[in-house]
Amino acid sequence: MLIKHLKNNDINLIRWDNCINNAINGSVFAYSWYLNILCEDWEALVLGNYEYVMPLFHKQKFNYDIYFTSTLGIRLGVFSNKILSEEIVGKFMDTVPKNDSLIDISFNIYNQVNITNTKQKNTYQLDLIQSHQKITKKYSDSFKENLAIARENKISVVRGLLPNELINFSLNTKVSTRPKLRRQDIPKLRMIIASCLRYNLGETYCAYGQHNNLQALAFFIKSKKNLHLLYAAASKDALETKAFHLIIDKYIELHSEKDLTLNLENSIAKSYQDFVEGVGASQLMYQRYYSNNLPLYLKLLLKHY
């Protein structure tokens, strides 16, 4: 089983994208155009004729290798249209250079591996196959109360917001965002949103107060039969008026009765746990691998790369 570690210039992007397109766990986050936005020098582990592939975000700090997870990349790992056994995924991880390197990799939910330095993490998904009426019957009492508060505050939810408007709102110091982005990630988010809107892969929903003031927004991206809340932002007012709750309810209403699953990982609320459980989302587990084999004097400095 020879797994090749390819530098960016050596990756056959046509074969790569064909693999992702046909993979049982294929994801928009693993297509070459998306990876190019997040890390222009991303690398790849490839088995066979691109039968199994695994992207690696790579950079160097002080001449040491850093393999990292992007906050806008969700979960990557190994992709294939063939069986994704623990052995296969483990072999891929064995190929990642570990000497004098920092590795932080999140796997997709179809990857399970039994190796050290791996922790179980959770995410939340909501099945949208049922009608909106049936889904709302499963809302918790507190979630229903929050929707009532939003309506009492005359919150209105509309679709469509230009990328620049979204970014400008997010940069306000009084606005909370999920995920929290570093300054260098802002242009990447702008490019992702612009590309997704252009190719009809994403939608922006925003909530306005009764005085037409923008209070909250959410950007959703479609990946085959999966919908992901990729990015969300909310002002302090929104936490009181429950504007974000109304955004999610409206999105569910417009996408219900479809063979789709909504991932709510980046929801914004005073209590994230209450929010995702209140809307009736189910918990799923994924794995995250972390190891820091840098010299001692760099371990603390580069703990989070």
PDB file of all heavy atoms in Angstrom, residues 27-59:
ATOM      1  N   SER A  27     -17.240  16.111  -0.446  1.00  0.00           N
ATOM      2  CA  SER A  27     -17.619  17.354   0.212  1.00  0.00           C
ATOM      3  C   SER A  27     -17.117  18.542  -0.592  1.00  0.00           C
ATOM      4  O   SER A  27     -16.019  18.497  -1.166  1.00  0.00           O
ATOM      5  CB  SER A  27     -17.027  17.398   1.627  1.00  0.00           C
ATOM      6  OG  SER A  27     -17.124  18.678   2.182  1.00  0.00           O
ATOM      7  N   VAL A  28     -17.908  19.608  -0.619  1.00  0.00           N
ATOM      8  CA  VAL A  28     -17.486  20.829  -1.300  1.00  0.00           C
ATOM      9  C   VAL A  28     -16.185  21.347  -0.703  1.00  0.00           C
ATOM     10  O   VAL A  28     -15.369  21.954  -1.407  1.00  0.00           O
ATOM     11  CB  VAL A  28     -18.588  21.915  -1.208  1.00  0.00           C
ATOM     12  CG1 VAL A  28     -18.821  22.349   0.219  1.00  0.00           C
ATOM     13  CG2 VAL A  28     -18.254  23.118  -2.082  1.00  0.00           C
ATOM     14  N   PHE A  29     -15.935  21.086   0.566  1.00  0.00           N
ATOM     15  CA  PHE A  29     -14.738  21.585   1.231  1.00  0.00           C
ATOM     16  C   PHE A  29     -13.467  20.898   0.747  1.00  0.00           C
ATOM     17  O   PHE A  29     -12.368  21.375   1.041  1.00  0.00           O
ATOM     18  CB  PHE A  29     -14.867  21.411   2.745  1.00  0.00           C
ATOM     19  CG  PHE A  29     -16.118  22.025   3.299  1.00  0.00           C
ATOM     20  CD1 PHE A  29     -17.124  21.233   3.827  1.00  0.00           C
ATOM     21  CD2 PHE A  29     -16.307  23.395   3.274  1.00  0.00           C
ATOM     22  CE1 PHE A  29     -18.292  21.795   4.328  1.00  0.00           C
ATOM     23  CE2 PHE A  29     -17.471  23.966   3.771  1.00  0.00           C
ATOM     24  CZ  PHE A  29     -18.468  23.170   4.295  1.00  0.00           C
ATOM     25  N   ALA A  30     -13.613  19.799   0.025  1.00  0.00           N
ATOM     26  CA  ALA A  30     -12.441  19.055  -0.444  1.00  0.00           C
ATOM     27  C   ALA A  30     -12.147  19.264  -1.923  1.00  0.00           C
ATOM     28  O   ALA A  30     -11.163  18.728  -2.442  1.00  0.00           O
ATOM     29  CB  ALA A  30     -12.621  17.556  -0.175  1.00  0.00           C
ATOM     30  N   TYR A  31     -12.992  20.027  -2.642  1.00  0.00           N
ATOM     31  CA  TYR A  31     -12.692  20.324  -4.039  1.00  0.00           C
ATOM     32  C   TYR A  31     -11.474  21.235  -4.129  1.00  0.00           C
ATOM     33  O   TYR A  31     -11.225  22.055  -3.231  1.00  0.00           O
ATOM     34  CB  TYR A  31     -13.889  20.984  -4.723  1.00  0.00           C
ATOM     35  CG  TYR A  31     -14.973  20.019  -5.124  1.00  0.00           C
ATOM     36  CD1 TYR A  31     -16.224  20.058  -4.513  1.00  0.00           C
ATOM     37  CD2 TYR A  31     -14.760  19.069  -6.116  1.00  0.00           C
ATOM     38  CE1 TYR A  31     -17.238  19.174  -4.875  1.00  0.00           C
ATOM     39  CE2 TYR A  31     -15.759  18.179  -6.486  1.00  0.00           C
ATOM     40  CZ  TYR A  31     -16.994  18.239  -5.862  1.00  0.00           C
ATOM     41  OH  TYR A  31     -17.983  17.360  -6.217  1.00  0.00           O
ATOM     42  N   SER A  32     -10.744  21.114  -5.216  1.00  0.00           N
ATOM     43  CA  SER A  32      -9.489  21.857  -5.354  1.00  0.00           C
ATOM     44  C   SER A  32      -9.702  23.369  -5.301  1.00  0.00           C
ATOM     45  O   SER A  32      -8.887  24.090  -4.720  1.00  0.00           O
ATOM     46  CB  SER A  32      -8.782  21.466  -6.657  1.00  0.00           C
ATOM     47  OG  SER A  32      -9.570  21.769  -7.794  1.00  0.00           O
ATOM     48  N   TRP A  33     -10.803  23.877  -5.868  1.00  0.00           N
ATOM     49  CA  TRP A  33     -11.006  25.328  -5.875  1.00  0.00           C
ATOM     50  C   TRP A  33     -11.192  25.859  -4.454  1.00  0.00           C
ATOM     51  O   TRP A  33     -10.723  26.954  -4.130  1.00  0.00           O
ATOM     52  CB  TRP A  33     -12.202  25.719  -6.745  1.00  0.00           C
ATOM     53  CG  TRP A  33     -13.556  25.302  -6.244  1.00  0.00           C
ATOM     54  CD1 TRP A  33     -14.237  24.160  -6.552  1.00  0.00           C
ATOM     55  CD2 TRP A  33     -14.403  26.026  -5.325  1.00  0.00           C
ATOM     56  NE1 TRP A  33     -15.442  24.115  -5.885  1.00  0.00           N
ATOM     57  CE2 TRP A  33     -15.572  25.258  -5.134  1.00  0.00           C
ATOM     58  CE3 TRP A  33     -14.290  27.249  -4.656  1.00  0.00           C
ATOM     59  CZ2 TRP A  33     -16.622  25.660  -4.299  1.00  0.00           C
ATOM     60  CZ3 TRP A  33     -15.320  27.654  -3.811  1.00  0.00           C
ATOM     61  CH2 TRP A  33     -16.472  26.865  -3.650  1.00  0.00           C
ATOM     62  N   TYR A  34     -11.855  25.061  -3.602  1.00  0.00           N
ATOM     63  CA  TYR A  34     -12.071  25.478  -2.216  1.00  0.00           C
ATOM     64  C   TYR A  34     -10.762  25.392  -1.428  1.00  0.00           C
ATOM     65  O   TYR A  34     -10.421  26.298  -0.667  1.00  0.00           O
ATOM     66  CB  TYR A  34     -13.144  24.597  -1.580  1.00  0.00           C
ATOM     67  CG  TYR A  34     -13.759  25.190  -0.329  1.00  0.00           C
ATOM     68  CD1 TYR A  34     -14.972  25.862  -0.385  1.00  0.00           C
ATOM     69  CD2 TYR A  34     -13.133  25.069   0.911  1.00  0.00           C
ATOM     70  CE1 TYR A  34     -15.544  26.415   0.762  1.00  0.00           C
ATOM     71  CE2 TYR A  34     -13.693  25.611   2.058  1.00  0.00           C
ATOM     72  CZ  TYR A  34     -14.904  26.289   1.973  1.00  0.00           C
ATOM     73  OH  TYR A  34     -15.457  26.833   3.104  1.00  0.00           O
ATOM     74  N   LEU A  35     -10.026  24.312  -1.624  1.00  0.00           N
ATOM     75  CA  LEU A  35      -8.741  24.151  -0.949  1.00  0.00           C
ATOM     76  C   LEU A  35      -7.767  25.256  -1.356  1.00  0.00           C
ATOM     77  O   LEU A  35      -6.995  25.753  -0.518  1.00  0.00           O
ATOM     78  CB  LEU A  35      -8.136  22.782  -1.278  1.00  0.00           C
ATOM     79  CG  LEU A  35      -8.952  21.561  -0.843  1.00  0.00           C
ATOM     80  CD1 LEU A  35      -8.306  20.283  -1.378  1.00  0.00           C
ATOM     81  CD2 LEU A  35      -9.067  21.497   0.677  1.00  0.00           C
ATOM     82  N   ASN A  36      -7.811  25.659  -2.629  1.00  0.00           N
ATOM     83  CA  ASN A  36      -6.923  26.721  -3.112  1.00  0.00           C
ATOM     84  C   ASN A  36      -7.165  28.036  -2.376  1.00  0.00           C
ATOM     85  O   ASN A  36      -6.235  28.815  -2.153  1.00  0.00           O
ATOM     86  CB  ASN A  36      -7.115  26.940  -4.617  1.00  0.00           C
ATOM     87  CG  ASN A  36      -6.543  25.813  -5.453  1.00  0.00           C
ATOM     88  OD1 ASN A  36      -5.681  25.066  -4.991  1.00  0.00           O
ATOM     89  ND2 ASN A  36      -7.026  25.674  -6.673  1.00  0.00           N
ATOM     90  N   ILE A  37      -8.421  28.298  -2.035  1.00  0.00           N
ATOM     91  CA  ILE A  37      -8.741  29.529  -1.311  1.00  0.00           C
ATOM     92  C   ILE A  37      -8.163  29.486   0.100  1.00  0.00           C
ATOM     93  O   ILE A  37      -7.595  30.462   0.590  1.00  0.00           O
ATOM     94  CB  ILE A  37     -10.268  29.746  -1.251  1.00  0.00           C
ATOM     95  CG1 ILE A  37     -10.820  30.042  -2.650  1.00  0.00           C
ATOM     96  CG2 ILE A  37     -10.617  30.891  -0.292  1.00  0.00           C
ATOM     97  CD1 ILE A  37     -12.339  30.154  -2.697  1.00  0.00           C
ATOM     98  N   LEU A  38      -8.285  28.336   0.744  1.00  0.00           N
ATOM     99  CA  LEU A  38      -7.872  28.234   2.144  1.00  0.00           C
ATOM    100  C   LEU A  38      -6.365  28.110   2.317  1.00  0.00           C
ATOM    101  O   LEU A  38      -5.811  28.572   3.315  1.00  0.00           O
ATOM    102  CB  LEU A  38      -8.557  27.041   2.807  1.00  0.00           C
ATOM    103  CG  LEU A  38     -10.077  27.114   2.901  1.00  0.00           C
ATOM    104  CD1 LEU A  38     -10.616  25.917   3.664  1.00  0.00           C
ATOM    105  CD2 LEU A  38     -10.537  28.403   3.564  1.00  0.00           C
ATOM    106  N   CYS A  39      -5.707  27.492   1.357  1.00  0.00           N
ATOM    107  CA  CYS A  39      -4.255  27.289   1.474  1.00  0.00           C
ATOM    108  C   CYS A  39      -3.691  27.063   0.073  1.00  0.00           C
ATOM    109  O   CYS A  39      -3.847  25.975  -0.484  1.00  0.00           O
ATOM    110  CB  CYS A  39      -3.958  26.095   2.376  1.00  0.00           C
ATOM    111  SG  CYS A  39      -2.196  25.731   2.578  1.00  0.00           S
ATOM    112  N   GLU A  40      -3.055  28.076  -0.476  1.00  0.00           N
ATOM    113  CA  GLU A  40      -2.608  27.978  -1.873  1.00  0.00           C
ATOM    114  C   GLU A  40      -1.540  26.914  -2.079  1.00  0.00           C
ATOM    115  O   GLU A  40      -1.346  26.429  -3.191  1.00  0.00           O
ATOM    116  CB  GLU A  40      -2.100  29.335  -2.361  1.00  0.00           C
ATOM    117  CG  GLU A  40      -0.929  29.880  -1.588  1.00  0.00           C
ATOM    118  CD  GLU A  40      -0.484  31.250  -2.075  1.00  0.00           C
ATOM    119  OE1 GLU A  40      -1.253  31.895  -2.821  1.00  0.00           O
ATOM    120  OE2 GLU A  40       0.626  31.674  -1.707  1.00  0.00           O
ATOM    121  N   ASP A  41      -0.857  26.515  -1.016  1.00  0.00           N
ATOM    122  CA  ASP A  41       0.180  25.480  -1.139  1.00  0.00           C
ATOM    123  C   ASP A  41      -0.230  24.168  -0.466  1.00  0.00           C
ATOM    124  O   ASP A  41       0.614  23.432   0.039  1.00  0.00           O
ATOM    125  CB  ASP A  41       1.499  25.975  -0.522  1.00  0.00           C
ATOM    126  CG  ASP A  41       2.134  27.097  -1.334  1.00  0.00           C
ATOM    127  OD1 ASP A  41       2.040  27.036  -2.570  1.00  0.00           O
ATOM    128  OD2 ASP A  41       2.681  28.031  -0.725  1.00  0.00           O
ATOM    129  N   TRP A  42      -1.543  23.879  -0.462  1.00  0.00           N
ATOM    130  CA  TRP A  42      -1.980  22.628   0.153  1.00  0.00           C
ATOM    131  C   TRP A  42      -1.335  21.435  -0.548  1.00  0.00           C
ATOM    132  O   TRP A  42      -1.015  21.486  -1.736  1.00  0.00           O
ATOM    133  CB  TRP A  42      -3.504  22.512   0.135  1.00  0.00           C
ATOM    134  CG  TRP A  42      -4.155  22.494  -1.220  1.00  0.00           C
ATOM    135  CD1 TRP A  42      -4.455  23.567  -2.000  1.00  0.00           C
ATOM    136  CD2 TRP A  42      -4.600  21.338  -1.945  1.00  0.00           C
ATOM    137  NE1 TRP A  42      -5.063  23.159  -3.176  1.00  0.00           N
ATOM    138  CE2 TRP A  42      -5.169  21.802  -3.164  1.00  0.00           C
ATOM    139  CE3 TRP A  42      -4.600  19.965  -1.691  1.00  0.00           C
ATOM    140  CZ2 TRP A  42      -5.715  20.949  -4.121  1.00  0.00           C
ATOM    141  CZ3 TRP A  42      -5.141  19.109  -2.640  1.00  0.00           C
ATOM    142  CH2 TRP A  42      -5.682  19.603  -3.838  1.00  0.00           C
ATOM    143  N   GLU A  43      -1.153  20.386   0.213  1.00  0.00           N
ATOM    144  CA  GLU A  43      -0.517  19.173  -0.299  1.00  0.00           C
ATOM    145  C   GLU A  43      -1.525  18.033  -0.291  1.00  0.00           C
ATOM    146  O   GLU A  43      -2.682  18.220   0.112  1.00  0.00           O
ATOM    147  CB  GLU A  43       0.717  18.845   0.546  1.00  0.00           C
ATOM    148  CG  GLU A  43       1.747  19.962   0.529  1.00  0.00           C
ATOM    149  CD  GLU A  43       2.925  19.710   1.457  1.00  0.00           C
ATOM    150  OE1 GLU A  43       2.907  18.677   2.173  1.00  0.00           O
ATOM    151  OE2 GLU A  43       3.853  20.540   1.476  1.00  0.00           O
ATOM    152  N   ALA A  44      -1.097  16.855  -0.745  1.00  0.00           N
ATOM    153  CA  ALA A  44      -2.044  15.743  -0.847  1.00  0.00           C
ATOM    154  C   ALA A  44      -1.373  14.408  -0.565  1.00  0.00           C
ATOM    155  O   ALA A  44      -0.208  14.193  -0.926  1.00  0.00           O
ATOM    156  CB  ALA A  44      -2.661  15.713  -2.244  1.00  0.00           C
ATOM    157  N   LEU A  45      -2.132  13.534   0.078  1.00  0.00           N
ATOM    158  CA  LEU A  45      -1.770  12.128   0.180  1.00  0.00           C
ATOM    159  C   LEU A  45      -2.686  11.371  -0.761  1.00  0.00           C
ATOM    160  O   LEU A  45      -3.908  11.522  -0.708  1.00  0.00           O
ATOM    161  CB  LEU A  45      -1.950  11.630   1.617  1.00  0.00           C
ATOM    162  CG  LEU A  45      -1.119  12.340   2.698  1.00  0.00           C
ATOM    163  CD1 LEU A  45      -1.407  11.740   4.068  1.00  0.00           C
ATOM    164  CD2 LEU A  45       0.368  12.254   2.378  1.00  0.00           C
ATOM    165  N   VAL A  46      -2.104  10.561  -1.635  1.00  0.00           N
ATOM    166  CA  VAL A  46      -2.873   9.890  -2.693  1.00  0.00           C
ATOM    167  C   VAL A  46      -2.507   8.412  -2.740  1.00  0.00           C
ATOM    168  O   VAL A  46      -1.327   8.049  -2.758  1.00  0.00           O
ATOM    169  CB  VAL A  46      -2.596  10.532  -4.070  1.00  0.00           C
ATOM    170  CG1 VAL A  46      -3.321   9.773  -5.179  1.00  0.00           C
ATOM    171  CG2 VAL A  46      -3.013  12.004  -4.063  1.00  0.00           C
ATOM    172  N   LEU A  47      -3.542   7.579  -2.770  1.00  0.00           N
ATOM    173  CA  LEU A  47      -3.347   6.134  -2.896  1.00  0.00           C
ATOM    174  C   LEU A  47      -3.883   5.675  -4.237  1.00  0.00           C
ATOM    175  O   LEU A  47      -5.022   5.998  -4.612  1.00  0.00           O
ATOM    176  CB  LEU A  47      -4.067   5.395  -1.773  1.00  0.00           C
ATOM    177  CG  LEU A  47      -4.039   3.860  -1.818  1.00  0.00           C
ATOM    178  CD1 LEU A  47      -2.602   3.340  -1.761  1.00  0.00           C
ATOM    179  CD2 LEU A  47      -4.860   3.269  -0.682  1.00  0.00           C
ATOM    180  N   GLY A  48      -3.061   4.913  -4.978  1.00  0.00           N
ATOM    181  CA  GLY A  48      -3.479   4.417  -6.287  1.00  0.00           C
ATOM    182  C   GLY A  48      -3.651   5.555  -7.280  1.00  0.00           C
ATOM    183  O   GLY A  48      -2.998   6.597  -7.194  1.00  0.00           O
ATOM    184  N   ASN A  49      -4.570   5.356  -8.212  1.00  0.00           N
ATOM    185  CA  ASN A  49      -4.845   6.374  -9.230  1.00  0.00           C
ATOM    186  C   ASN A  49      -5.941   7.311  -8.716  1.00  0.00           C
ATOM    187  O   ASN A  49      -7.022   7.393  -9.280  1.00  0.00           O
ATOM    188  CB  ASN A  49      -5.275   5.700 -10.538  1.00  0.00           C
ATOM    189  CG  ASN A  49      -5.370   6.686 -11.686  1.00  0.00           C
ATOM    190  OD1 ASN A  49      -4.810   7.787 -11.629  1.00  0.00           O
ATOM    191  ND2 ASN A  49      -6.094   6.307 -12.725  1.00  0.00           N
ATOM    192  N   TYR A  50      -5.622   7.968  -7.608  1.00  0.00           N
ATOM    193  CA  TYR A  50      -6.561   8.880  -6.941  1.00  0.00           C
ATOM    194  C   TYR A  50      -7.835   8.149  -6.515  1.00  0.00           C
ATOM    195  O   TYR A  50      -8.922   8.681  -6.580  1.00  0.00           O
ATOM    196  CB  TYR A  50      -6.892  10.074  -7.853  1.00  0.00           C
ATOM    197  CG  TYR A  50      -5.732  11.026  -8.024  1.00  0.00           C
ATOM    198  CD1 TYR A  50      -4.698  10.733  -8.902  1.00  0.00           C
ATOM    199  CD2 TYR A  50      -5.647  12.187  -7.280  1.00  0.00           C
ATOM    200  CE1 TYR A  50      -3.604  11.581  -9.044  1.00  0.00           C
ATOM    201  CE2 TYR A  50      -4.571  13.055  -7.412  1.00  0.00           C
ATOM    202  CZ  TYR A  50      -3.548  12.742  -8.293  1.00  0.00           C
ATOM    203  OH  TYR A  50      -2.459  13.594  -8.425  1.00  0.00           O
ATOM    204  N   GLU A  51      -7.625   6.892  -6.045  1.00  0.00           N
ATOM    205  CA  GLU A  51      -8.760   6.125  -5.516  1.00  0.00           C
ATOM    206  C   GLU A  51      -9.083   6.559  -4.086  1.00  0.00           C
ATOM    207  O   GLU A  51     -10.249   6.533  -3.676  1.00  0.00           O
ATOM    208  CB  GLU A  51      -8.428   4.632  -5.575  1.00  0.00           C
ATOM    209  CG  GLU A  51      -8.289   4.110  -6.993  1.00  0.00           C
ATOM    210  CD  GLU A  51      -7.685   2.716  -7.033  1.00  0.00           C
ATOM    211  OE1 GLU A  51      -7.085   2.289  -6.027  1.00  0.00           O
ATOM    212  OE2 GLU A  51      -7.835   2.049  -8.070  1.00  0.00           O
ATOM    213  N   TYR A  52      -8.061   6.906  -3.334  1.00  0.00           N
ATOM    214  CA  TYR A  52      -8.209   7.482  -2.002  1.00  0.00           C
ATOM    215  C   TYR A  52      -7.356   8.743  -1.956  1.00  0.00           C
ATOM    216  O   TYR A  52      -6.203   8.724  -2.416  1.00  0.00           O
ATOM    217  CB  TYR A  52      -7.712   6.530  -0.909  1.00  0.00           C
ATOM    218  CG  TYR A  52      -8.496   5.256  -0.742  1.00  0.00           C
ATOM    219  CD1 TYR A  52      -8.234   4.142  -1.541  1.00  0.00           C
ATOM    220  CD2 TYR A  52      -9.471   5.139   0.244  1.00  0.00           C
ATOM    221  CE1 TYR A  52      -8.939   2.958  -1.383  1.00  0.00           C
ATOM    222  CE2 TYR A  52     -10.174   3.958   0.424  1.00  0.00           C
ATOM    223  CZ  TYR A  52      -9.908   2.875  -0.392  1.00  0.00           C
ATOM    224  OH  TYR A  52     -10.604   1.704  -0.221  1.00  0.00           O
ATOM    225  N   VAL A  53      -7.889   9.815  -1.404  1.00  0.00           N
ATOM    226  CA  VAL A  53      -7.114  11.050  -1.314  1.00  0.00           C
ATOM    227  C   VAL A  53      -7.337  11.713   0.041  1.00  0.00           C
ATOM    228  O   VAL A  53      -8.381  11.530   0.679  1.00  0.00           O
ATOM    229  CB  VAL A  53      -7.477  12.048  -2.433  1.00  0.00           C
ATOM    230  CG1 VAL A  53      -7.229  11.447  -3.811  1.00  0.00           C
ATOM    231  CG2 VAL A  53      -8.924  12.522  -2.312  1.00  0.00           C
ATOM    232  N   MET A  54      -6.346  12.482   0.454  1.00  0.00           N
ATOM    233  CA  MET A  54      -6.439  13.233   1.700  1.00  0.00           C
ATOM    234  C   MET A  54      -5.695  14.555   1.540  1.00  0.00           C
ATOM    235  O   MET A  54      -4.495  14.563   1.284  1.00  0.00           O
ATOM    236  CB  MET A  54      -5.841  12.435   2.862  1.00  0.00           C
ATOM    237  CG  MET A  54      -5.857  13.166   4.192  1.00  0.00           C
ATOM    238  SD  MET A  54      -5.170  12.133   5.524  1.00  0.00           S
ATOM    239  CE  MET A  54      -5.181  13.288   6.900  1.00  0.00           C
ATOM    240  N   PRO A  55      -6.399  15.690   1.661  1.00  0.00           N
ATOM    241  CA  PRO A  55      -5.713  16.982   1.560  1.00  0.00           C
ATOM    242  C   PRO A  55      -4.986  17.330   2.856  1.00  0.00           C
ATOM    243  O   PRO A  55      -5.404  16.933   3.949  1.00  0.00           O
ATOM    244  CB  PRO A  55      -6.861  17.965   1.298  1.00  0.00           C
ATOM    245  CG  PRO A  55      -8.045  17.329   1.948  1.00  0.00           C
ATOM    246  CD  PRO A  55      -7.854  15.848   1.848  1.00  0.00           C
ATOM    247  N   LEU A  56      -3.898  18.066   2.718  1.00  0.00           N
ATOM    248  CA  LEU A  56      -3.140  18.527   3.872  1.00  0.00           C
ATOM    249  C   LEU A  56      -2.881  20.021   3.732  1.00  0.00           C
ATOM    250  O   LEU A  56      -2.281  20.464   2.750  1.00  0.00           O
ATOM    251  CB  LEU A  56      -1.794  17.800   3.972  1.00  0.00           C
ATOM    252  CG  LEU A  56      -1.793  16.309   4.312  1.00  0.00           C
ATOM    253  CD1 LEU A  56      -0.371  15.757   4.217  1.00  0.00           C
ATOM    254  CD2 LEU A  56      -2.365  16.059   5.701  1.00  0.00           C
ATOM    255  N   PHE A  57      -3.351  20.791   4.705  1.00  0.00           N
ATOM    256  CA  PHE A  57      -2.980  22.198   4.757  1.00  0.00           C
ATOM    257  C   PHE A  57      -1.616  22.271   5.435  1.00  0.00           C
ATOM    258  O   PHE A  57      -1.451  21.818   6.566  1.00  0.00           O
ATOM    259  CB  PHE A  57      -4.000  23.008   5.552  1.00  0.00           C
ATOM    260  CG  PHE A  57      -5.341  23.110   4.874  1.00  0.00           C
ATOM    261  CD1 PHE A  57      -6.511  23.137   5.609  1.00  0.00           C
ATOM    262  CD2 PHE A  57      -5.440  23.167   3.488  1.00  0.00           C
ATOM    263  CE1 PHE A  57      -7.743  23.246   4.991  1.00  0.00           C
ATOM    264  CE2 PHE A  57      -6.669  23.265   2.861  1.00  0.00           C
ATOM    265  CZ  PHE A  57      -7.817  23.303   3.610  1.00  0.00           C
ATOM    266  N   HIS A  58      -0.663  22.883   4.729  1.00  0.00           N
ATOM    267  CA  HIS A  58       0.716  22.868   5.205  1.00  0.00           C
ATOM    268  C   HIS A  58       1.327  24.263   5.148  1.00  0.00           C
ATOM    269  O   HIS A  58       1.088  25.029   4.225  1.00  0.00           O
ATOM    270  CB  HIS A  58       1.557  21.910   4.350  1.00  0.00           C
ATOM    271  CG  HIS A  58       3.024  21.958   4.657  1.00  0.00           C
ATOM    272  ND1 HIS A  58       3.930  22.664   3.887  1.00  0.00           N
ATOM    273  CD2 HIS A  58       3.739  21.396   5.667  1.00  0.00           C
ATOM    274  CE1 HIS A  58       5.140  22.521   4.406  1.00  0.00           C
ATOM    275  NE2 HIS A  58       5.047  21.752   5.478  1.00  0.00           N
ATOM    276  N   LYS A  59       2.083  24.579   6.176  1.00  0.00           N
ATOM    277  CA  LYS A  59       2.916  25.776   6.151  1.00  0.00           C
ATOM    278  C   LYS A  59       4.120  25.523   7.046  1.00  0.00           C
ATOM    279  O   LYS A  59       4.168  24.507   7.772  1.00  0.00           O
ATOM    280  CB  LYS A  59       2.140  26.999   6.639  1.00  0.00           C
ATOM    281  CG  LYS A  59       1.609  26.920   8.056  1.00  0.00           C
ATOM    282  CD  LYS A  59       0.783  28.157   8.370  1.00  0.00           C
ATOM    283  CE  LYS A  59       0.151  28.052   9.765  1.00  0.00           C
ATOM    284  NZ  LYS A  59      -0.717  29.210  10.064  1.00  0.00           N
TER     285      LYS A  59
END
